[in-house]
Amino acid sequence: MPENFKELLKQDFSDLEAAVTSWQKLGKALEEAQGRHRHKVTGPLHASEWEGVDSRYAFAKMETSESQLGTAQSDVTSVAIILDSVHTKMKEAQENLRRAVRTAEADGYVVDDDGNVTDSRSCPTDNADEAAQEEHQLRVGKLEGYKNDIEYSIGGASSADWQGMQFLQQIDAFNLDKDYGADKAREGARKAAEFSGLDEDSIPSKKDPKENAKWWAGLSEEQRQAYLDAYPEKIGWLDGIPCAERDEANRKVVDLELAKYDMKKQNGELGIHDQRNYDGLRKLQDALDKADGTGEPSKQLYVLGIDTKHDGRAVVSQGNPETARNVAIQVPGTGNDLSNFDEQLTRVDRLQQAADDRGPKNTAVIAWLGYDAPEFDNSMGTTGRADPAGGDLRSFTHGLRQTHQGERAHMTVLGHSYGSTVVGSGASHGGGLDADDIVVVGSPGMTVDHAKNLNIDPGHVWAGGATDDFVSNHTSGLTLGEDPMEKEFGGKVFEVDTHKHDGYWNVDSRSLRNQGRIIAGMDPSEGDYHS
């Protein structure tokens, strides 16, 4: 790196630029290698239902290898970002220096090979007139200004050189086989991002999918990767950015959280709450691995949100909602958390199959546990959890509209139990969910007294309830709005042939088939519903 005026003035940075390109290519190769490992090795073995002691050890080893590839990719990308930032800052310093020299020389000053600035014009004599004296003082001041500009440029180059070296030294090339490797890599990625001016505060904080999409589109590919590596827990929840990139960010979060819990487990520090989240993440990771191995695009899982705060939140799509003709969002209710999220994935799979059985096989179904669902306590009877969750759901559905490709998808939002209350709150505020159909089952109420308050044609609001469902038969219409199955509510009721509060997704049931028909943009068959 240049250390003085002459070196900086004449420095050719092509080698540094080439190094940046090489590190970027290596980072991309590592990312692709991780993807190939996931889809060609781990995934197919999970999908083959390989079980037993050997499989457990083998899968643990393979997951470690995948994690190490991700850690290496993050570290390598950080090196590329730091070198690119050094290159940018050095080039800027060089341009500033050259500009300062050109301007000084054009103004009659002389800049020697050591960067010293002198005035080519002679000093006025003692008996010179007042105007000449004033002009001389002015030129003395300008001379100092040019000196400062040159010193500032050289200082900027030196600072970039020193800071880049410091950041590079903090990237541990030997952390791949350490339990904290992924977290250490994220720490390095954050420092690299901050050095390049991509700090956390620049990430949009408002729930505005259009603004999020605009911000993301304005970033270069390298800048996006920097944010994905440095702040995956924030990027993964940003409605309005592409699902594939949200999925990449959230899978990093899954790896980070599992590594954190693994360390706690080894140290005997895994409490009951941690154990529940850990179990949920493990089951989610297994589901992701199996889906990666199927090779079926419709069965691919996209993690569109994940965290372990409180009881944990998760948003996962089966099928790509950006390309699907039909998109459904299933919102679960009371008693659901990260530990039993695998049950939601089972329901999602059945809903997708039910829709594809009755329409074009191009459906994506999303399990949306994007909120802290109520426990079995007094919170079930209020909208305290539903109102903030409704706003998040509304942002999510609008985000899907923002990123969808091609012809507008038919979107159905479904809510079960207290999830229907969340759906009602989201639909009745802020212009609604922009859904084509709304379906609720086992509903205690949707926060409103009439379907017309849901910002959708009441003819596309559907409700179903089993004859022995305690929630829909005995709690609806009490504290959370009118019973959506009552004629006065103004929606439509479809036929249900299942029992209890959790039977609506039973295989081969009319309850499931009717939900599938609605998701596919069809009415339940004649005789399956009544107004």
Side-chain angles (χ1 to χ4, degrees):
M1 291 296 178
E3 296 179 354
N4 56 42
F5 169 80
K6 188 183 295 185
E7 288 185 7
L8 179 59
L9 196 63
K10 299 179 179 180
Q11 180 71 29
D12 179 4
F13 294 106
S14 58
D15 287 346
L16 180 55
E17 190 173 6
V20 171
T21 300
S22 296
W23 282 100
Q24 288 173 341
K25 287 182 178 178
L26 179 57
K28 197 68 177 175
L30 287 165
E31 181 182 1
E32 291 171 354
Q34 185 185 38
R36 285 197 300 273
H37 191 283
R38 179 181 295 146
H39 291 284
K40 301 295 185 182
V41 182
T42 313
L45 285 172
H46 268 284
S48 71
E49 303 294 342
W50 182 29
E51 297 179 351
V53 176
D54 289 343
S55 70
R56 289 197 294 272
Y57 281 108
F59 283 132
K61 284 289 187 181
M62 286 186 283
E63 286 178 8
T64 298
S65 296
E66 274 186 28
S67 179
Q68 288 174 343
L69 285 168
T71 298
Q73 173 270 315
S74 185
D75 279 342
V76 165
T77 301
S78 294
V79 171
I81 290 168
I82 292 168
L83 290 178
D84 190 35
S85 297
V86 170
H87 173 253
T88 299
K89 294 174 188 290
M90 295 291 288
K91 284 286 290 182
E92 182 181 356
Q94 185 184 64
E95 291 170 2
N96 289 338
L97 179 60
R98 289 174 173 175
R99 187 183 305 109
V101 172
R102 287 196 306 268
T103 306
E105 290 177 341
D107 206 8
Y109 296 88
V110 176
V111 183
D112 65 21
D113 289 345
D114 294 322
N116 297 313
V117 184
T118 58
D119 194 346
S120 62
R121 300 183 187 180
S122 59
C123 296
T125 61
D126 291 339
N127 59 357
D129 60 26
E130 184 177 348
Q133 294 287 354
E134 288 180 357
E135 182 180 0
H136 174 66
Q137 292 301 318
L138 178 62
R139 289 190 65 79
V140 169
K142 292 176 72 175
L143 183 145
E144 291 301 317
Y146 290 130
K147 285 183 178 179
N148 290 337
D149 288 345
I150 290 172
E151 290 175 0
Y152 177 80
S153 299
I154 295 174
S158 298
S159 176
D161 186 14
W162 184 85
Q163 287 182 313
M165 178 185 67
Q166 295 295 311
F167 282 122
L168 287 172
Q169 288 177 344
Q170 293 178 47
I171 297 177
D172 185 358
F174 302 99
N175 67 7
L176 297 183
D177 60 347
K178 296 181 175 68
D179 291 332
Y180 59 78
D183 196 51
K184 187 74 173 178
R186 178 177 58 171
E187 182 182 331
R190 287 184 174 177
K191 291 178 179 178
E194 290 170 3
F195 178 54
S196 64
L198 306 176
D199 56 53
E200 188 174 3
D201 291 339
S202 61
I203 299 174
S205 57
K206 295 182 179 179
K207 296 172 184 176
D208 189 334
K210 288 186 178 180
E211 286 301 314
N212 294 343
K214 182 179 178 181
W215 172 74
W216 192 252
L219 300 174
S220 67
E221 183 179 350
E222 291 72 28
Q223 288 173 326
R224 291 177 194 149
Q225 191 62 56
Y227 277 115
L228 287 168
D229 290 335
Y231 312 106
E233 68 285 347
K234 286 201 168 185
I235 300 301
W237 285 99
L238 276 186
D239 298 319
I241 72 171
C243 291
E245 288 163 321
R246 290 180 70 169
D247 178 62
E248 180 182 346
N250 286 311
R251 288 188 187 229
K252 289 179 183 291
V253 174
V254 171
D255 286 343
L256 287 163
E257 291 297 315
L258 283 174
K260 180 183 74 175
Y261 286 132
D262 280 333
M263 287 188 68
K264 282 189 174 184
K265 187 175 183 179
Q266 292 172 21
N267 297 329
E269 300 171 350
L270 202 64
I272 295 176
H273 182 267
D274 287 340
Q275 183 67 57
R276 288 174 61 83
N277 281 338
Y278 179 66
D279 292 342
L281 286 173
R282 274 286 164 213
K283 287 185 282 189
L284 175 58
Q285 184 64 65
D286 286 344
L288 293 174
D289 288 337
K290 289 179 181 178
D292 289 338
T294 64
E296 298 181 43
S298 65
K299 299 301 180 183
Q300 291 302 296
L301 297 181
Y302 296 81
V303 188
L304 306 180
I306 189 76
D307 70 39
T308 57
K309 298 174 184 174
H310 304 295
D311 293 326
R313 298 185 298 162
V315 179
V316 178
S317 176
Q318 181 161 292
N320 188 345
E322 292 180 353
T323 57
R325 179 173 177 177
N326 303 309
V327 177
I329 301 98
Q330 164 77 12
V331 184
T334 302
N336 285 282
D337 56 31
L338 194 56
S339 69
N340 59 12
F341 188 72
D342 57 312
E343 297 174 11
Q344 299 306 316
L345 295 181
T346 298
R347 292 176 181 179
V348 157
D349 184 61
R350 292 178 181 178
L351 286 169
Q352 183 191 57
Q353 188 62 53
D356 284 347
D357 284 347
R358 282 147 190 86
K361 297 183 182 301
N362 190 2
T363 302
V365 184
I366 301 164
W368 193 89
L369 184 61
Y371 77 115
D372 186 21
E375 293 72 36
F376 291 98
D377 55 26
N378 292 335
S379 62
M380 297 187 299
T382 75
T383 61
R385 302 282 181 96
D387 289 338
D392 291 338
L393 177 62
R394 190 165 55 248
S395 173
F396 181 76
T397 58
H398 284 255
L400 291 180
R401 291 296 192 196
Q402 185 69 35
T403 60
H404 193 269
Q405 302 168 19
E407 185 179 350
R408 176 183 167 96
H410 177 265
M411 182 185 291
T412 305
V413 181
L414 307 95
H416 171 235
S417 191
Y418 193 85
S420 70
T421 310
V422 173
V423 173
S425 181
S428 60
H429 295 87
L433 299 172
D434 198 12
D436 298 293
D437 281 286
I438 290 176
V439 180
V440 296
V441 290
S443 175
M446 301 181 69
T447 77
V448 296
D449 292 330
H450 198 283
K452 66 182 179 183
N453 301 127
L454 298 173
N455 289 293
I456 189 175
D457 178 355
H460 287 273
V461 177
W462 305 87
T467 56
D468 55 355
D469 184 333
F470 180 85
V471 173
S472 62
N473 285 291
H474 299 287
T475 68
S476 195
L478 297 180
T479 63
L480 298 175
E482 183 59 70
D483 182 349
M485 291 187 65
E486 291 292 334
K487 183 176 181 179
E488 291 75 16
F489 188 76
K492 290 185 175 181
V493 176
F494 65 88
E495 183 180 356
V496 164
D497 64 342
T498 48
H499 296 283
K500 307 287 184 183
H501 191 55
D502 293 321
Y504 300 103
W505 304 272
N506 288 353
V507 176
D508 293 330
S509 68
R510 193 178 293 273
S511 303
L512 180 62
R513 289 199 299 271
N514 283 342
Q515 290 178 81
R517 289 177 64 85
I518 297 170
I519 292 171
M522 308 164 66
D523 281 356
S525 57
E526 186 176 354
D528 287 351
Y529 72 92
H530 59 273
S531 297

